[in-house]
Amino acid sequence: MEYQKLLLGDEPYFISYVKASYPQHCHNEIEFIYCVHGDARVIVEEKEYILKENDILCIDSLAMHQIELENDTGIFDIEFGAQFVGAFFQEFAKKCFGCPHITHDSNSVYAVSMREIVQRIYEEYLNSDEATAWAMRGYLNELFTLLMRSVPMLLQKNSQRQKQLERYMRIQKVFDFVKNNYSEPISLAEAANLVGYDPNAFCRIFKEITNSSFHQYLNIFRVNIAMRLLTNKNMSIGEIGQQVGIPVAKTFGRVFKTYTGMSPREYRQCIFKEIEPVE
């Protein structure tokens, strides 16, 4: 199986099978976590959700969240936003999911439809071929259409969400730059210069918006990409470190373990014990 074409390059979405916990973070994309097996603990804006097998959790754009997985838990993660949907996404992002936790036994029309679409995306991921990139785009369009028509969403009743979006847009260039250049060295000064701040002011503003330092954000982004690339058997761990901008093997291993609790080799072994092509 080769998954790289689903995750990188020109595809404006992230899709992956995940076996490691993930620290607190936020991003502009909406996210869907599908619990494949085991129990997952997800904290979103200080609210705790326990996901059982076949549960789905919908996470709002810019919502601060963290994921805690036990060794026997595997989740399937889908993220997409403005790069996929287009300019309309910014209006959509002002809303929040009214019923974010779709349990395995939910039998409403939208819950059943959501599970069916997400499960089709997961099956496509497992059975990747030359048509998969096209299929994924179709499924994601179908998923977003479902969100617009059927999934209950709540408009924020105060200005907090709008202010949050406005603050995020102030440093949007930095997030876009990281997405397009994470494989190259990126300095704090370079990031600050992109949005016209001196480094000290940029550090303060970035921390207020993301709840992490710029270097933490960059490392988390790189580890996130590395986790996806580790599902590609044709790439060595050294090549993956180079690909995500951490070319020194020792440093790559240390950074990866800091955020996942496993070395890249351990993570790859864990993944391939569970993900095999469906005959």
Side-chain angles (χ1 to χ4, degrees):
M1 290 182 296
E2 293 186 27
Y3 300 122
Q4 185 182 6
K5 63 180 177 296
L6 305 183
L7 311 173
L8 303 174
D10 296 328
E11 302 303 339
Y13 52 83
F14 278 152
I15 296 174
S16 66
Y17 180 83
V18 180
K19 282 287 295 177
S21 297
Y22 218 68
Q24 188 178 67
H25 65 289
C26 72
H27 42 72
N28 198 30
E29 294 78 16
I30 52 176
E31 182 172 357
F32 303 86
I33 297 173
Y34 171 54
C35 188
V36 178
H37 57 81
D39 294 345
R41 179 174 181 258
V42 186
I43 301 173
V44 183
E45 301 288 3
E46 301 183 347
K47 185 172 181 178
E48 179 183 88
Y49 299 91
I50 303 298
L51 275 60
K52 304 290 186 181
E53 185 172 329
N54 291 324
D55 281 6
I56 297 171
L57 186 66
C58 311
I59 301 177
D60 296 317
S61 169
L62 299 182
M64 199 67 66
H65 58 286
Q66 67 186 70
I67 303 168
E68 297 179 8
L69 306 182
E70 299 295 335
N71 290 336
D72 62 345
T73 299
I75 62 172
F76 184 58
D77 188 70
I78 302 168
E79 299 174 21
F80 64 92
Q83 283 188 298
F84 184 81
V85 177
F88 175 73
F89 183 79
Q90 294 306 322
E91 286 301 311
F92 180 85
K94 294 175 184 178
K95 302 178 180 181
C96 64
F97 288 102
C99 302
H101 188 188
I102 299 172
T103 62
H104 59 279
D105 56 356
S106 300
N107 57 12
S108 66
V109 172
Y110 79 80
V112 171
S113 297
M114 173 76 76
R115 282 198 302 272
E116 288 178 350
I117 297 171
V118 170
Q119 287 167 356
R120 288 204 302 274
I121 294 173
Y122 180 57
E123 289 298 320
E124 186 69 41
Y125 177 85
L126 292 179
N127 294 280
S128 174
D129 62 22
E130 66 278 0
T132 290
W134 290 103
M136 288 298 188
R137 287 173 175 264
Y139 291 142
L140 292 177
N141 278 318
E142 189 177 353
L143 179 57
F144 191 69
T145 301
L146 175 67
L147 296 180
M148 291 300 300
R149 290 179 171 172
S150 304
V151 176
M153 302 191 75
L154 303 175
L155 282 171
Q156 296 284 355
K157 294 184 179 180
N158 54 50
S159 61
Q160 182 178 357
R161 183 71 166 175
Q162 182 64 36
K163 288 180 179 178
Q164 187 181 23
L165 288 167
E166 289 172 356
R167 292 168 66 206
Y168 187 94
M169 293 304 295
R170 287 165 62 188
I171 58 172
Q172 177 69 51
K173 287 183 180 179
V174 174
F175 299 121
D176 291 342
F177 187 77
V178 168
K179 284 181 180 179
N180 294 324
N181 298 277
Y182 62 83
S183 62
E184 303 295 331
I186 301 176
S187 69
L188 173 65
E190 186 176 18
N193 186 59
L194 280 170
V195 286
Y197 292 111
D198 68 73
N200 289 334
F202 174 73
C203 286
R204 176 179 54 79
I205 292 168
F206 195 91
K207 179 79 171 179
E208 289 174 354
I209 294 173
T210 67
N211 202 38
S212 66
S213 71
F214 174 71
H215 287 301
Q216 286 173 328
Y217 175 85
L218 181 58
N219 281 336
I220 289 173
F221 190 92
R222 285 170 164 164
V223 168
N224 200 1
I225 298 293
M227 288 166 68
R228 292 163 163 82
L229 289 178
L230 283 164
T231 64
N232 184 343
K233 289 181 178 179
N234 294 326
M235 293 187 74
S236 71
I237 290 174
E239 287 172 333
I240 291 170
Q242 292 275 353
Q243 179 81 29
V244 301
I246 313 177
V248 178
K250 188 174 181 179
T251 302
F252 176 51
R254 174 179 54 78
V255 171
F256 191 91
K257 191 166 186 176
T258 295
Y259 294 104
T260 67
M262 295 181 246
S263 70
R265 189 173 304 278
E266 289 169 335
Y267 186 81
R268 171 170 269 174
Q269 290 171 346
C270 189
I271 285 289
F272 281 110
K273 284 180 181 177
E274 301 191 13
I275 297 186
E276 294 295 338
V278 176
E279 299 297 336

